[in-house]
Amino acid sequence: MLRNLYMACSHIATIVLSVILLAGCSTTPVGVKPVAMDSGYEQIDRCALNSDTYSSSTAAVLYRHDLLTLYEDMPNACLLQLHNLACEDQRDDAPFALAELCFLLGKEGHEDQVDGHELKAKNYFAASAAYAYVFLARLQRHDTTAAFDRRFRIACDLYNRSLGYLIAQHQGPATVAREQLWLPVGSIRLKIGFTDLPQPLSDYINVLAADRFQVKGLSVRNRIAGLGSPLVLVSKRKSESGAVPVGFSATVFLRIHGELADFTKGTLTSELEVYSPTSPNVLSVDDRTIPLERDITTSIAYTLNDPIYWKIDLALFRFGKSDFTPGIYQPHPSKPGQIPVVWVHGTMSSPVWWAEMWNTLMADSVLREHYQHWFYLYDSGKPVVQSFLHLRKSIDDYVKQRDPEGKDPALRQIVVIGHSQGGLLTKATAVKTESDQLIKAVTGKTLNELELSPEEEKLLRSYTDFRPLPEVKRVVFLATPHRGSFLANGITRRVVKWFISLPRHSVQATAELMRIIPRKSKVAIAATSLDSMSPKNPGLLALAEIPVSPPIKAHSIIAIKGDDLPPEGDDGVVEYKSAHIAGVESELVVRSSHSCQSKPKTIEEVRRILLEHLKAWDNAKEIKNADKH
């Protein structure tokens, strides 16, 4: 019986022990827990950039040197001790940990005193950028596979963001360079080094970190990866009502001279270098090529954030005036050797409607390096023929102003791109017309038959006798009503005449023409742009049959809504039959309404054309150089 009792107790003990062991297996001190894929990456990718703590790489360094608790209790004491250890230890991970911990303290707004010097966020960010620079230099010297190191990618962003925060807190590199910045270990004095800006930093009213802004209204925020912190340099552009802000993009780069020992010795020096958009996309650091970080979009969006730019179109069309004088505006500084692209907007429009196109094309490094952008602003309500003259004169004057001695051949390789009515203006830069062609189409008579005085004939020739602009080498037509728009009917034109108030000089010019051309003309002289674009305007129809003059190249991009196939279809404003002309190098149909400038296919086609133009010019230069030899 005792034996049976013993066996029973033993069996119970075995069961209890098994239960205890099984329970223990479900709560092991070390183990794993299945989670969703994204949750796993939250732990893998966690760092000071995306959380309120440091990465596992920094945790490993703190653990190795038994500094986990010290960092929590006395962060600056921890940084000093880790810095001293890093001077003795040639492994790469300590400078990385220092960069991340300093960034974290800066982000937290930590304040402290070290050796009698007050440390605030800007001091920690300066230290983070310096340590990240040292880490990246070390890693690239020691490891040819550095680009695949997770710490390398984090360190690039630590450097860029710390520099951006530092600039933001000082409102520009110039103010940062005026003081000595104390660090958790030692200090650093920053001075302005290389800059290729078109004017001194002090001339800009503000210098802002591009990272401070979110962009709205554009499909893509174009960011080019590299080192450096993108800036928005703010200047003022004069308008009739005062001055409005204009943003230019640039990149600031902090070049550190020294190693970890120089922090402690106080011999650490540095230079702040500021690069314009026309700078090369790379720079040299310790015989290595480093790409520059670029933010192409923010400066565009910053400028267009002012409501005044979005009132230009109606102000010009309705009242014949705006806060800006009609003419060519260049939003970004350029350098010699860049080919101008002249953008010509349409009716009741303005240059702001090219923003999507411009933003996308500027992201292409080849186009950004070889092209500059000129935006033409004009009163789209006045008769088209008057805008013909104004555009031609604006281009000619602007080229002479930029290059009076004719030393830059790139300024004689201009590409003009026009949308809608702007396409008609564009064609006027690239055709050869004889006065009799257009005058006879309108009046049924030749110039001789009109029996004009010398003064009258001279005036009439100025409006009808064109030669291709020698600076223009290629034109692109977007949704252009070469044979008029079916919306420019009688009722629409009467409404528009009530809506708009043309400037006095435009009315006077129209009146002079009406006095010259007899009443028996086939049509009345166009009083507005919609009169000019009537499908019944014989002058417009005659111009449509005049080809673009060789060697100028022409391209058409035509919009069609719906599923119609050419020659049928329209974009809601212009029929395919009106937009199609013979003699172009290429014609692309895009499925779109009339405002097709922002459509991806339109932008890609313009990119293709600009690359083709650049290639043709390069080939021409090679042939010319070969002939010289």
Side-chain angles (χ1 to χ4, degrees):
M1 184 175 180
L2 288 173
R3 184 174 182 275
N4 291 339
L5 181 60
Y6 170 78
M7 291 180 66
C9 290
S10 177
H11 183 62
I12 292 171
T14 301
I15 294 173
V16 172
L17 180 60
S18 298
V19 170
I20 292 172
L21 289 173
L22 287 171
C25 288
S26 64
T27 57
T28 58
V30 177
V32 295
K33 179 177 71 172
V35 294
M37 185 70 74
D38 290 345
S39 299
Y41 281 115
E42 286 176 8
Q43 185 183 59
I44 295 168
D45 295 334
R46 185 175 58 212
C47 66
L49 297 168
N50 56 29
S51 72
D52 57 359
T53 189
Y54 41 76
S55 66
S56 58
S57 297
T58 294
V61 175
L62 293 176
Y63 179 77
R64 178 198 307 153
H65 298 295
D66 197 18
L67 295 174
L68 288 166
T69 303
L70 183 60
Y71 177 75
E72 295 300 325
D73 298 338
M74 303 174 65
N76 280 305
C78 173
L79 294 176
L80 176 59
Q81 190 168 335
L82 183 57
H83 177 94
N84 292 333
L85 289 166
C87 290
E88 303 294 332
D89 190 341
Q90 290 304 304
R91 282 177 286 187
D92 301 322
D93 50 7
F96 173 84
L98 285 162
E100 187 174 22
L101 294 174
C102 287
F103 181 87
L104 199 55
L105 291 171
K107 193 169 74 166
E108 292 171 353
H110 185 77
E111 296 185 8
D112 206 342
Q113 282 202 350
V114 174
D115 296 332
H117 301 291
E118 189 175 13
L119 300 185
K120 294 186 176 182
K122 64 181 181 181
N123 305 84
Y124 290 108
F125 286 132
S128 177
Y131 281 124
Y133 188 99
V134 171
F135 166 76
L136 291 168
R138 274 193 183 187
L139 189 64
Q140 287 194 311
R141 281 197 298 267
H142 301 161
D143 188 355
T144 57
T145 62
F148 299 96
D149 191 319
R150 188 176 297 276
R151 296 171 305 163
F152 178 86
R153 287 174 272 175
I154 295 174
C156 289
D157 283 337
L158 289 173
Y159 172 88
N160 292 349
R161 291 198 200 178
S162 293
L163 186 53
Y165 289 145
L166 185 61
I167 297 300
Q169 294 199 13
H170 282 82
Q171 294 188 328
T175 56
V176 175
R178 294 176 190 154
E179 63 177 296
Q180 184 176 12
L181 281 174
W182 292 94
L183 310 178
V185 179
S187 66
I188 185 172
R189 183 176 291 278
L190 301 95
K191 66 177 182 178
I192 297 296
F194 171 85
T195 175
D196 66 344
L197 299 176
Q199 59 196 66
L201 271 171
S202 56
D203 287 358
Y204 295 94
I205 63 170
N206 215 340
V207 181
L208 307 171
D211 295 351
R212 291 181 57 195
F213 301 98
Q214 285 188 337
V215 172
K216 63 179 182 179
L218 294 171
S219 299
V220 179
R221 180 170 183 163
N222 290 307
R223 186 85 170 198
I224 300 166
L227 279 186
S229 181
L231 303 174
V232 177
L233 307 178
V234 185
S235 64
K236 287 288 188 180
R237 173 175 289 154
K238 292 182 180 180
S239 70
E240 297 296 327
S241 60
V244 294
V246 182
F248 303 96
S249 66
T251 298
V252 60
F253 180 80
L254 177 64
R255 190 182 295 268
I256 304 291
H257 303 289
E259 267 288 348
L260 290 178
D262 294 294
F263 283 70
T264 314
K265 295 175 185 176
T267 55
L268 187 69
T269 61
S270 66
E271 293 175 344
L272 282 164
E273 302 169 352
V274 185
Y275 294 89
S276 74
T278 61
S279 300
N281 295 320
V282 297
L283 50 86
S284 178
V285 178
D286 297 333
D287 298 325
R288 294 187 306 276
T289 298
I290 305 295
L292 274 173
E293 184 96 356
R294 304 276 196 182
D295 188 320
I296 306 300
T297 305
T298 304
S299 62
I300 297 173
Y302 182 92
T303 299
L304 297 182
N305 199 51
D306 194 311
I308 192 172
Y309 288 105
W310 299 93
K311 298 175 182 177
I312 297 173
D313 45 9
L314 283 179
L316 270 173
F317 188 80
R318 183 172 185 180
F319 306 113
K321 63 181 180 180
S322 80
D323 289 307
F324 296 92
T325 303
I328 290 175
Y329 289 84
Q330 188 173 354
H332 274 180
S334 58
K335 63 181 180 182
Q338 288 186 312
I339 299 171
V341 180
V342 182
W343 302 91
V344 188
H345 63 79
T347 309
M348 292 187 69
S349 186
S350 76
V352 299
W353 298 105
W354 293 110
E356 191 80 68
M357 171 91 71
W358 181 38
N359 176 52
T360 304
L361 295 178
M362 283 287 286
D364 187 294
S365 60
V366 175
L367 298 184
R368 190 171 65 253
E369 180 180 355
H370 293 286
Y371 284 98
Q372 55 183 297
H373 299 269
W374 300 354
F375 291 89
Y376 174 64
L377 174 68
Y378 67 103
D379 177 357
S380 64
K382 66 185 181 183
V384 172
V385 68
Q386 294 181 27
S387 297
F388 285 174
L389 300 180
H390 189 265
L391 172 60
R392 290 171 58 88
K393 185 175 187 305
S394 296
I395 293 176
D396 194 49
D397 289 349
Y398 202 67
V399 170
K400 290 176 180 176
Q401 174 191 331
R402 294 285 309 281
D403 186 32
E405 297 181 6
K407 294 181 177 180
D408 188 355
L411 296 184
R412 278 77 186 172
Q413 292 292 323
I414 291 177
V415 180
V416 187
I417 302 177
H419 172 255
S420 192
Q421 181 186 164
L424 297 177
L425 274 58
T426 296
K427 189 174 183 184
T429 69
V431 293
K432 178 180 179 181
T433 66
E434 301 292 346
S435 294
D436 275 356
Q437 286 178 283
L438 299 180
I439 293 301
K440 191 169 185 179
V442 173
T443 67
K445 294 183 177 182
T446 65
L447 272 173
N448 289 333
E449 292 171 339
L450 288 176
E451 299 180 352
L452 303 175
S453 69
E455 292 77 14
E456 291 172 333
E457 182 174 332
K458 181 179 179 181
L459 175 65
L460 202 53
R461 284 187 181 278
S462 70
Y463 281 101
T464 57
D465 200 350
F466 300 137
R467 294 294 179 270
L469 289 179
E471 304 94 341
V472 174
K473 295 297 185 290
R474 194 175 298 261
V475 293
V476 183
F477 308 117
L478 273 64
T480 298
H482 294 288
R483 296 174 183 83
S485 166
F486 58 82
L487 286 188
N489 54 41
I491 295 175
T492 304
R493 298 203 305 276
R494 285 195 293 273
V495 171
V496 167
K497 287 178 183 178
W498 169 83
F499 182 73
I500 68 174
S501 176
L502 290 173
R504 182 177 298 176
H505 64 81
S506 177
V507 174
Q508 290 173 342
T510 304
E512 289 174 358
L513 289 175
M514 292 184 71
R515 284 197 298 270
I516 294 173
I517 298 179
R519 290 185 178 181
K520 59 183 178 179
S521 301
K522 292 185 179 179
V523 295
I525 294 299
T528 69
S529 60
L530 284 194
D531 291 324
S532 303
M533 291 185 287
S534 167
K536 298 180 180 179
N537 182 344
L540 183 66
L541 297 178
L543 182 63
E545 303 308 316
I546 299 174
V548 170
S549 297
I552 298 174
K553 307 295 184 183
H555 305 264
S556 290
I557 301 174
I558 301 175
I560 295 180
K561 292 197 319 183
D563 300 325
D564 286 334
L565 297 176
E568 304 304 320
D570 63 76
D571 60 18
V573 176
V574 179
E575 291 182 330
Y576 171 87
K577 294 173 183 177
S578 175
H580 170 78
I581 57 173
V584 296
E585 297 288 304
S586 65
E587 178 183 284
L588 177 71
V589 172
V590 296
R591 296 295 169 180
S592 170
S593 59
H594 187 59
S595 296
C596 61
Q597 309 99 302
S598 61
K599 296 298 181 181
K601 286 188 176 181
T602 302
I603 297 173
E604 277 297 295
E605 176 67 358
V606 171
R607 175 183 178 273
R608 183 194 68 78
I609 292 168
L610 293 178
L611 290 174
E612 180 178 313
H613 184 66
L614 183 61
K615 183 178 178 181
W617 190 41
D618 287 340
N619 291 339
K621 287 188 291 186
E622 289 179 7
I623 294 171
K624 187 175 181 180
N625 290 334
D627 290 341
K628 287 181 179 180
H629 294 86

